[in-house]
Amino acid sequence: GQQLNQSPQSMFIQEGEDVSMNCTSSSIFNTWLWYKQDPGEGPVLLIALYKAGELTSNGRLTAQFGITRKDSFLNISASIPSDVGIYFCAGHFLPGGSQGNLIFGKGTKLSVKP
Amino acid sequence: DTEVTQTPKHLVMGMTNKKSLKCEQHMGHRAMYWYKQKAKKPPELMFVYSYEKLSINESVPSRFSPECPNSSLLNLHLHALQPEDSALYLCASSQDGTSGELFFGEGSRLTVL
């Protein structure tokens, strides 16, 4: 089946630093999405990308849909303690126009030192 | 605050028990999902309901039985579970199932003794 390779697996950074994580796939997707999950909570959608080459920002977050449709990256600028959590990339495809399928990466655990 | 509400938040059950997890959304979404998440792993899709019909069953064992009584409610009936079924069970909804923009609930933490 389709798999997403997400890296890095974990990051330990100092508050104020910028963060970058990425996801690659052997298959193309219609949509790339980035979710964040805090402990004891469900994932929350951060950014959705719909077109190859698209670059989208949401506050301090910036994400891009790779031109080949097989990759995406997420940048977080000037990290703060509440950025701590697990970030999941996800690829979405629509086989034959029917019910879509969402594939998650394995996650990047972010720790921020104040 | 999440707009997808799951109950109970925590559940402990024996292997012979029958219990149910419940999920409710009032966003008018027509697709609802059950995911299973083990510690330090991504969510794994179990079931998808689209317009109240089961559209995806990811080869889930029959001891898990989903039910969608109406467009706002989704249940997961549990019977004769195994300890390895202990996990966080996440419910999610999306507008019509054609995008990956899912709204997740906070999850039900299940422990099977």
Side-chain angles (χ1 to χ4, degrees):
Chain A
Q2 293 184 314
Q3 290 189 2
L4 298 186
N5 300 308
Q6 185 173 350
S7 64
Q9 199 170 14
S10 61
M11 302 181 76
F12 297 85
I13 62 167
Q14 200 76 34
E15 182 177 358
E17 287 183 359
D18 296 343
V19 171
S20 186
M21 58 191 80
N22 69 80
C23 231
T24 60
S25 170
S26 56
S27 308
I28 62 172
F29 288 102
N30 301 112
T31 308
W32 279 95
L33 307 105
W34 287 91
Y35 286 84
K36 183 193 177 198
Q37 187 172 23
D38 291 330
E41 309 271 334
V44 173
L45 180 64
L46 299 174
I47 289 181
L49 303 148
Y50 294 98
K51 287 171 61 174
E54 179 182 353
L55 184 71
T56 296
S57 293
N58 178 6
R60 292 179 297 106
L61 307 180
T62 302
Q64 184 157 33
F65 191 143
I67 198 76
T68 65
R69 296 171 65 192
K70 293 183 179 180
D71 62 303
S72 177
F73 72 74
L74 174 71
N75 288 342
I76 305 173
S77 62
S79 58
I80 59 178
S82 62
D83 290 335
V84 164
I86 300 178
Y87 292 79
F88 291 103
C89 64
H92 186 258
F93 67 98
L94 278 171
S98 63
Q99 178 66 51
N101 205 353
L102 189 66
I103 309 294
F104 282 93
K106 293 189 175 178
T108 295
K109 184 176 180 181
L110 180 62
S111 302
V112 179
K113 287 186 284 187
Chain B
D1 287 341
T2 181
E3 296 184 70
V4 177
T5 304
Q6 290 188 242
T7 56
K9 202 167 170 64
H10 300 275
L11 178 63
V12 179
M13 59 187 290
M15 290 189 283
T16 58
N17 292 159
K18 281 186 184 180
K19 298 284 184 184
S20 296
L21 305 180
K22 297 185 183 300
C23 177
E24 189 169 4
Q25 58 88 14
H26 293 290
M27 294 178 281
H29 287 175
R30 304 311 303 268
M32 295 187 77
Y33 308 72
W34 280 115
Y35 281 84
K36 174 183 177 181
Q37 187 177 28
K38 300 285 265 185
K40 300 183 181 180
K41 298 285 187 184
E44 292 177 26
L45 183 64
M46 299 175 73
F47 302 104
V48 181
Y49 274 83
S50 179
Y51 292 86
E52 297 153 58
K53 287 189 167 59
L54 183 65
S55 60
I56 294 179
N57 176 344
E58 291 287 341
S59 302
V60 179
S62 59
R63 58 185 183 269
F64 295 91
S65 174
E67 179 197 17
C68 189
N70 60 55
S71 60
S72 300
L73 294 174
L74 186 66
N75 298 323
L76 186 63
H77 302 299
L78 315 171
H79 174 53
L81 295 192
Q82 304 296 310
E84 60 264 29
D85 296 323
S86 299
L88 182 68
Y89 287 84
L90 293 161
C91 174
S93 70
S94 71
Q95 191 160 7
D96 58 10
T98 59
S99 84
E101 295 190 27
L102 269 55
F103 290 76
F104 283 88
E106 292 186 341
S108 292
R109 174 74 60 189
L110 174 67
T111 302
V112 182
L113 301 176

